[in-house]
Amino acid sequence: MRSERFQPDLAPLRAFIAILGAPIFFGATIRGLGFLPAVALTTLLASLAASSRLSTILLITAGITVFCLLVFYYGLGLPIRLLGPWLGMLT
Amino acid sequence: MDMISNLGLGLDAALTPYNILFCFIGTLLGTLVGVLPGIGPTATIAMLLPITLSLSPETSLIMLAGIYYGAQYGGSTTAILINLPGESSSAVTALDGYQMARQGRAGTALATAALSSFLAGTIATLIVAMLAPPLTAVALRFGSAEYFSLMVLGLAASIVLASGEVIKTIAMVSLGLIFGLVGTDINTGEMRFTLGRPELADGLNFVAVAVGLFGIAEILRNLEHSVIRTAVVRHVSGLWPRREDLRAMLKPAVRGTFLGSALGVLPGGGAILASFASYALEKKLSPNSERFGQGAIEGVAGPEAANNAGAQTSFIPMLTLGVPANPVMALMIGAMIIQGIVPGPQVATEQPVLFWGLIASMWIGNLLLVVLNLPLIGLWVKLLTVPYGILFPAILAFASIGVFSVNSNAFDLYVMASFGIFGYILAKLHFEPAPMLLGFVLGPLLEEHLRRAMILSHGDMSVFVTRPISAALLITAALVLAVAFLPSIAKRRDEVFVEED
């Protein structure tokens, strides 16, 4: 089994980009964008790792974002702003 | 009668509605994640650990213990219903449990797993309560030299008991020790391996490393193939075992409990061997051993009991010595340190409520498992049909929020992503990440005790061999390592762990 040429079974590239990109994106934007957009976009990015229909992805994202909002923001009261300063500049 | 009053104190602490609630949430969440195929207890705890950190120390450890039991039971459920064990310990359950499920006895198999686990949990809780105080008394007499030698023994044992090639495991332990060096040198204030980043001055964040190494890497591995999960059963019926089933499972469960309890106490991960050892024992003792592998109820009851008892008694070295017996305990110690509790024998005397509350909550966690999970089994079965596409973005979101919330530090998320890819590469090259995590947790403690012992002895290295306990521990460590390199043992290891993944 070991004697054959080393050819590992790898996850598809899009999975790597989405799964590793999601936490990096979260880290880069959590302070600037705030909790709500950062979680939503991170989840969206993560769910792109597996191929499914756009409507499914949006539904998953919405559901998880609402859940995180209830559990972490309202439930555990994490000291993070809901909407960050970057968004303030737009309005 | 000290034990009774101590357990009473613990039950008092654990039985507050608040703590029961979090024990329950932990058990539920643990089962929820543990039921996902391919995710074992270590990964489950790593993913859920950040959630517990905002609680008080007692409650968070109680919740973590709940997560642990839940995750183990969830792993057994997956093993029985779809023959996909989450980690090596439930691989044994899959052997006969899956066959029982295919014969339409899934309900009985699941109930057997739960009841054997509960029996084992009850007995093992008493064993922990009995053994912990005397061991704590011994440990309180330990000096830095003894601690150093004990940790060397723990690391040596983890090398022997991990699966895979010995040389790779040694490499992983060493790498873990090196990662543990990152940060400020406590004696001189010198920066070590920080790459000039001020964020690394406090060292690598343990939660970020653990979540990356186990959680993120696991998700990547699961995305390799679009797994089509086929549960053999959609509806589980006939949950309550018949009288003859109960009779058939009682003795194996009791034997498994004691075997597992004994193996669980060993530092370095003896609990992993418990279910294998129990299965082998039952097969040997059974008059009709040919039924094993074809749906023998003893083949589910024994290993499940052994596994759970081992899981429980592996708390003993952690609670009394502050030395983790396996990666799960390493995570527990990491959580304790973050909560500001220095693990070790002084915990029992300085924080009796926490200490006994945790022991009592083990039993409560087991009870909650039986009371809540058996009626909910239909839900878990349904969960097996939920596509992975919904679950992993949720896990990733929780992990990101959780890791960030530990220190409100964005840099930790980059650490998590880096260790995610690193953990994936390790898995592809067949390196075990668990010994590395053990090295990473023990590294700073090892260094601290080494340097303190050296300062006390004015730089005289012989202190480690002239103090009798320390010398005995080091000799044991050397023997353990020598055993690992014996060719006959090395061959046996491959057989023992052949079931893995």
Side-chain angles (χ1 to χ4, degrees):
Chain A
M1 176 177 132
R2 202 156 293 207
S3 57
E4 285 132 50
R5 210 153 54 90
F6 183 67
Q7 193 149 52
D9 229 349
L10 289 180
L13 187 64
R14 66 184 284 175
F16 275 104
I17 295 172
I19 298 298
L20 299 173
I24 293 173
F25 177 83
F26 186 83
T29 59
I30 177 73
R31 284 191 194 281
L33 285 178
F35 188 83
L36 187 64
V39 171
L41 291 172
T42 303
T43 316
L44 184 69
L45 181 56
S47 53
L48 292 175
S51 35
S52 30
R53 275 177 303 137
L54 190 65
S55 56
T56 328
I57 288 177
L58 289 178
L59 201 68
I60 296 169
T61 306
I64 293 172
T65 308
V66 170
F67 184 82
C68 287
L69 199 64
L70 292 177
V71 171
F72 291 99
Y73 190 78
Y74 293 107
L76 294 171
L78 285 192
I80 307 173
R81 273 200 268 187
L82 203 56
L83 295 172
W86 292 357
L87 295 171
M89 287 192 296
L90 298 176
T91 51
Chain B
M1 288 302 99
D2 246 11
M3 188 183 111
I4 307 289
S5 66
N6 281 333
L7 274 180
L9 176 73
L11 281 172
D12 260 0
L15 279 177
T16 62
Y18 187 70
N19 282 346
I20 293 181
L21 175 72
F22 278 100
C23 191
F24 167 60
I25 296 176
T27 317
L28 201 67
L29 281 177
T31 318
L32 197 73
V33 181
V35 130
L36 306 178
I39 299 185
T42 316
T44 308
I45 295 178
M47 288 172 194
L48 295 175
L49 178 70
I51 302 177
T52 66
L53 294 176
S54 47
L55 303 165
S56 75
E58 276 116 60
T59 315
S60 86
L61 283 184
I62 287 171
M63 183 173 170
L64 273 177
I67 292 173
Y68 185 22
Y69 304 130
Q72 285 221 319
Y73 186 68
S76 310
T77 309
T78 329
I80 289 169
L81 291 180
I82 56 174
N83 200 16
L84 265 181
E87 75 179 37
S88 57
S89 55
S90 46
V92 183
T93 311
L95 296 178
D96 279 280
Y98 182 65
Q99 292 304 323
M100 284 179 76
R102 287 186 56 183
Q103 293 158 14
R105 300 180 68 207
T108 316
L110 287 165
T112 306
L115 291 174
S116 316
S117 296
F118 178 65
L119 178 81
T122 308
I123 299 176
T125 303
L126 289 175
I127 293 178
V128 173
M130 258 182 320
L131 282 186
L135 267 176
T136 308
V138 173
L140 276 174
R141 302 221 310 267
F142 274 29
S144 278
E146 281 80 16
Y147 266 111
F148 172 79
S149 307
L150 182 72
M151 280 178 231
V152 172
L153 173 60
L155 290 176
S158 80
I159 289 169
V160 181
L161 293 170
S163 61
E165 287 168 57
V166 178
I167 202 80
K168 283 183 170 176
T169 322
I170 292 178
M172 290 323 300
V173 169
S174 316
L175 196 61
L177 290 172
I178 293 170
F179 280 129
L181 286 177
V182 175
T184 316
D185 180 316
I186 29 166
N187 291 23
T188 63
E190 188 90 15
M191 291 294 162
R192 297 186 302 198
F193 306 111
T194 56
L195 312 173
R197 304 281 319 212
E199 293 94 337
L200 283 175
D202 287 333
L204 288 162
N205 182 323
F206 170 78
V207 180
V209 171
V211 175
L213 212 50
F214 291 97
I216 305 282
E218 199 73 56
I219 293 175
L220 282 171
R221 281 176 67 183
N222 277 305
L223 286 172
E224 279 170 9
H225 319 277
S226 34
V227 190
I228 305 146
R229 281 181 268 148
T230 43
V232 281
V233 242
R234 301 256 150 182
H235 299 282
V236 177
S237 56
L239 207 51
W240 198 249
R242 290 170 309 208
R243 187 173 289 261
E244 63 258 37
D245 290 334
L246 280 175
R247 200 173 312 136
M249 67 195 242
L250 181 65
K251 273 189 192 160
V254 171
R255 279 192 293 262
T257 300
F258 286 101
L259 190 62
S261 299
L263 285 170
V265 188
L266 297 181
I272 306 166
L273 292 175
S275 44
F276 288 99
S278 165
Y279 191 79
L281 179 74
E282 292 311 324
K283 198 170 175 180
K284 208 161 262 169
L285 287 177
S286 171
N288 32 7
S289 57
E290 72 284 351
R291 280 195 310 117
F292 278 75
Q294 329 239 320
I297 194 164
E298 302 95 316
V300 177
E304 276 295 304
N307 189 18
N308 206 41
Q312 213 113 320
T313 52
S314 62
F315 274 89
I316 293 179
M318 194 276 265
L319 285 173
T320 57
L321 304 168
V323 174
N326 53 43
V328 171
M329 290 303 126
L331 287 164
M332 289 272 184
I333 288 200
M336 280 171 93
I337 293 173
I338 292 169
Q339 296 276 12
I341 303 164
V342 182
Q346 74 286 351
V347 174
T349 44
E350 283 167 20
Q351 315 232 19
V353 177
L354 176 119
F355 184 84
W356 290 101
L358 182 59
I359 291 180
S361 73
M362 292 175 183
W363 185 73
I364 296 171
N366 275 300
L367 185 69
L368 285 175
L369 263 187
V370 175
V371 176
L372 294 162
N373 276 2
L374 281 185
L376 286 180
I377 198 73
L379 185 73
W380 306 134
V381 175
K382 203 154 275 150
L383 197 75
L384 289 174
T385 60
V386 170
Y388 195 61
I390 296 179
L391 294 164
F392 77 82
I395 294 171
L396 211 60
F398 296 165
S400 299
I401 299 170
V403 166
F404 178 77
S405 68
V406 177
N407 286 334
S408 296
N409 188 348
F411 186 77
D412 290 344
L413 285 151
Y414 312 146
V415 172
M416 172 173 115
S418 317
F419 273 91
I421 182 84
F422 185 58
Y424 183 73
I425 295 169
L426 289 181
K428 287 287 105 181
L429 298 175
H430 302 286
F431 281 88
E432 276 283 296
M436 185 178 124
L437 192 71
L438 225 50
F440 177 64
V441 173
L442 285 181
L445 295 169
L446 192 77
E447 186 197 348
E448 196 191 321
H449 286 294
L450 171 69
R451 292 173 79 168
R452 196 181 296 161
M454 294 308 286
I455 289 169
L456 288 175
S457 72
H458 304 291
D460 185 4
M461 289 286 273
S462 68
V463 67
F464 296 109
V465 288
T466 48
R467 294 179 67 127
I469 301 178
S470 169
L473 288 167
L474 282 180
I475 291 170
T476 318
L479 287 177
V480 160
L481 270 186
V483 163
F485 281 104
L486 287 182
S488 62
I489 302 273
K491 232 172 103 197
R492 280 293 291 275
R493 278 158 53 94
D494 291 346
E495 285 163 23
V496 167
F497 288 105
V498 81
E499 236 75 55
E500 187 143 2
D501 292 317

